[in-house]
Amino acid sequence: ILESKRAAESDNRQQFPENSHIQHNKQPQQTMLSRFFQAPVRSLTDVLMGSARRLKKEKYVSSGKKAFEPSVKARSNDWRSNLKYSNCPSYKKIPGTDFICDGFYYARSTLSQNYFLTHFHSDHYGGITKQWNEGTIYCSLPTANLVNQQLGVDKRFLHPLPMNSPTIIESRGKPVTVTLLDANHCPGAIMFLFEVGNKTILHVGDFRWDREIMMKMPQLKAFSNANPRLNEIFLDTTYCDKKYSLPTQAEAIEATITAVEEELAMAKKERTKTLFLFGSYTIGKERIYLSVAEHLGMKVYVDNRRFRILSALEWPKERMKMFTPNKSESSLWVVPLGNVNFKKMRDFMEDANKNKVFSIPYGRCAGFRPTGWTFSTKTSGGIISSKTSGRYSVHGVPYSEHSSFPELVDCLKCLKPKKITTTVSPAKSEDQISLLLSQVNARQIFG
């Protein structure tokens, strides 16, 4: 029996020669994962047997020996650095584990060795620096690429997990099953499904709920039938207000294409050309500007920094061919969202018209700000709010990668969680939960 067990463990290590202290329930098919792994796989037996050693270590720490005390220099740093020495808030902790999710400002080795990152937006990865050495960061492959490339974190601290494939990770000497699900947010953004003993916990990170997409995920569909029951959801409540009844992404994209066509018609009438600017974050909003580019049959200009970031996502070659770092190859530019304003647009058009000796110069410039914060019920004649100043126009498009209020309610109706923990504006948590529950049959759904 012992020889068979050793042989099985040997085969497992051969399959994942560089893996890092986890075991997969089923072999992951996602490519490029192995390059991050630098330690041998630990079998489930190793995980369970490790609890004795961990308890001994915890007893030693609790005895007060070599107690951790921040230095005077550390205490004098800015407020974000000081968070490291304050208590990590409960909405960053996964119950029943030592797992910390999107709580890197609080990271220290005595808090946890297991950190989870939902996506590569600064309000979630904040606290991660090039000097990171507080523990393993679990995330998706695109996010791992970006954390390594953009933040300079050593790959030995990064552990990308496969999508839709349950993975066992040790916490306090016990096995916890973790599954990554697409969050419908930015590239690489995921939801973490934790199975802790007989409890299930869903941390959505930032997400855009879409019933048609997400109820096709067998893990989420099972919750709608309460088999199993979802014990707790960590919910992105960015738009937890009745006034945010946002249009769907498809509706926002359709309205944007219509606005682009209207801009082109005006340019044709004036016998000139239009430069289109689309605001974006470091990553995010790709779906809307790529949809416009496909409709127009043109490439998308991005600067070298953004091109390098997009290349780290490991998208198919066909999609990457839609991007160019050459300004002269496209009339559709992606720029920082904050730069889509009348002052900056003049600079962009001046830059675009440089050296245009043998081609028609741009005579108009149209900027698009795709964010849910532009949404207003007072907008007349459509969902887009527009302002014009001479040859320049700015269009506010209520395109969001966060769930609208009705979508949050629908999410709760579908998943039927026993408990809701909000992750946005925690001081307003009780009011947010009360508002959400007022829109559903609380007795039936959450009893």
Side-chain angles (χ1 to χ4, degrees):
I1 295 174
L2 289 174
E3 288 300 322
S4 299
K5 181 179 178 181
R6 291 193 187 100
E9 290 180 345
S10 176
D11 291 342
N12 194 28
R13 289 189 177 91
Q14 290 175 7
Q15 292 171 4
F16 300 96
E18 297 179 334
N19 208 334
S20 175
H21 63 271
I22 69 166
Q23 176 184 359
H24 297 282
N25 284 356
K26 50 185 179 182
Q27 297 178 12
Q29 301 299 313
Q30 191 169 351
T31 60
M32 308 301 287
L33 291 175
S34 61
R35 69 184 185 202
F36 285 83
F37 304 156
Q38 299 193 4
V41 170
R42 295 187 63 186
S43 69
L44 182 57
T45 301
D46 293 334
V47 171
L48 295 174
M49 291 300 293
S51 61
R53 292 187 294 272
R54 178 177 291 271
L55 288 172
K56 182 178 180 181
K57 180 179 179 182
E58 289 176 349
K59 182 178 180 180
Y60 179 83
V61 172
S62 63
S63 68
K65 298 179 180 180
K66 295 184 180 180
F68 178 81
E69 177 68 25
S71 66
V72 173
K73 182 178 179 181
R75 289 196 297 266
S76 65
N77 285 339
D78 62 73
W79 66 271
R80 286 176 176 171
S81 296
N82 288 332
L83 287 178
K84 187 172 184 177
Y85 308 113
S86 61
N87 292 327
C88 181
S90 59
Y91 66 92
K92 300 288 186 182
K93 299 178 179 179
I94 304 304
T97 74
D98 67 344
F99 295 172
I100 306 299
C101 191
D102 294 346
F104 300 96
Y105 282 126
Y106 306 91
R108 57 184 186 272
S109 57
T110 54
L111 174 66
S112 178
Q113 290 290 319
N114 299 309
Y115 295 87
F116 293 78
L117 175 59
T118 56
H119 63 290
F120 194 74
H121 278 165
S122 60
D123 55 332
H124 292 257
Y125 69 68
I128 301 177
T129 67
K130 187 176 182 179
Q131 290 74 36
W132 174 268
N133 64 354
E134 305 294 359
T136 302
I137 299 175
Y138 297 95
C139 55
S140 67
L141 178 58
T143 300
N145 284 335
L146 291 171
V147 172
N148 169 251
Q149 175 180 287
Q150 299 302 119
L151 303 181
V153 174
D154 194 311
K155 286 185 178 180
R156 65 195 173 99
F157 295 112
L158 298 172
H159 197 132
L161 299 177
M163 296 295 296
N164 307 307
S165 180
T167 302
I168 294 177
I169 301 175
E170 174 192 356
S171 176
R172 298 171 179 167
K174 297 180 180 179
V176 176
T177 301
V178 184
T179 306
L180 272 59
L181 306 173
D182 194 310
N184 193 32
H185 185 57
C186 66
I190 51 87
M191 301 182 287
F192 286 110
L193 177 60
F194 299 98
E195 297 174 60
V196 187
N198 60 355
K199 293 184 177 181
T200 53
I201 301 167
L202 180 67
H203 194 301
V204 305
D206 283 349
F207 81 138
R208 181 78 194 254
W209 174 261
D210 186 319
R211 180 192 286 236
E212 290 187 10
I213 295 175
M214 294 184 170
M215 291 311 288
K216 290 180 181 178
M217 299 179 187
Q219 300 89 343
L220 299 187
K221 187 175 181 180
F223 294 137
S224 66
N225 299 320
N227 184 29
R229 185 75 183 271
L230 179 59
N231 292 91
E232 185 170 359
I233 185 171
F234 285 72
L235 192 64
D236 165 23
T237 49
T238 298
Y239 290 118
C240 190
D241 191 310
K242 289 182 180 180
K243 68 181 180 181
Y244 291 117
S245 183
L246 307 175
T248 65
Q249 289 184 341
E251 291 169 340
I253 290 173
E254 182 180 358
T256 301
I257 291 175
T258 299
V260 167
E261 291 289 355
E262 291 173 352
E263 288 283 355
L264 290 173
M266 284 188 283
K268 183 177 181 180
K269 186 177 180 180
E270 297 174 7
R271 296 184 179 182
T272 188
K273 292 173 59 179
T274 301
L275 175 66
F276 294 102
L277 305 176
F278 276 80
S280 178
Y281 305 127
T282 301
I283 54 171
K285 314 300 183 182
E286 292 82 7
R287 188 175 297 165
I288 185 169
Y289 64 69
L290 285 175
S291 296
V292 173
E294 288 179 354
H295 177 79
L296 298 179
M298 68 169 60
K299 291 186 175 183
V300 176
Y301 163 72
V302 294
D303 61 23
N304 289 327
R305 178 180 180 275
R306 189 178 296 274
F307 189 84
R308 186 165 180 262
I309 288 171
L310 292 168
S311 298
L313 302 177
E314 299 189 6
W315 279 349
K317 291 182 179 180
E318 293 73 20
R319 183 178 298 180
M320 288 305 299
K321 286 180 181 178
M322 295 187 66
F323 297 96
T324 176
N326 188 340
K327 297 174 182 177
S328 64
E329 291 185 4
S330 177
S331 298
L332 195 162
W333 294 12
V334 177
V335 301
L337 188 62
N339 287 351
V340 182
N341 57 63
F342 291 130
K343 182 179 179 180
K344 292 288 186 180
M345 289 168 71
R346 288 173 171 79
D347 296 335
F348 284 123
M349 194 158 78
E350 181 180 342
D351 184 29
N353 282 330
K354 286 180 180 178
N355 304 318
K356 278 191 173 292
V357 179
F358 302 104
S359 60
I360 301 173
Y362 293 106
R364 297 181 60 84
C365 183
F368 290 83
R369 294 178 52 82
T371 169
W373 300 116
T374 67
F375 176 75
S376 174
T377 56
K378 298 179 181 179
T379 303
S380 59
I383 62 175
I384 294 181
S385 57
S386 303
K387 294 182 180 180
T388 301
S389 177
R391 299 180 298 167
Y392 306 92
S393 58
V394 175
H395 303 282
V397 183
Y399 173 90
S400 179
E401 292 170 335
H402 292 271
S403 302
S404 66
F405 182 76
E407 288 165 346
L408 289 175
V409 173
D410 187 61
C411 170
L412 297 178
K413 286 184 176 180
C414 289
L415 301 184
K416 304 177 174 63
K418 289 183 178 180
K419 181 180 179 181
I420 305 169
T421 297
T422 65
T423 59
V424 180
S425 301
K428 301 178 181 178
S429 179
E430 290 187 15
D431 292 338
Q432 291 177 344
I433 294 173
S434 295
L435 180 61
L436 288 167
L437 294 183
S438 71
Q439 303 300 302
V440 297
N441 188 331
R443 181 173 299 178
Q444 178 180 348
I445 303 299
F446 299 98

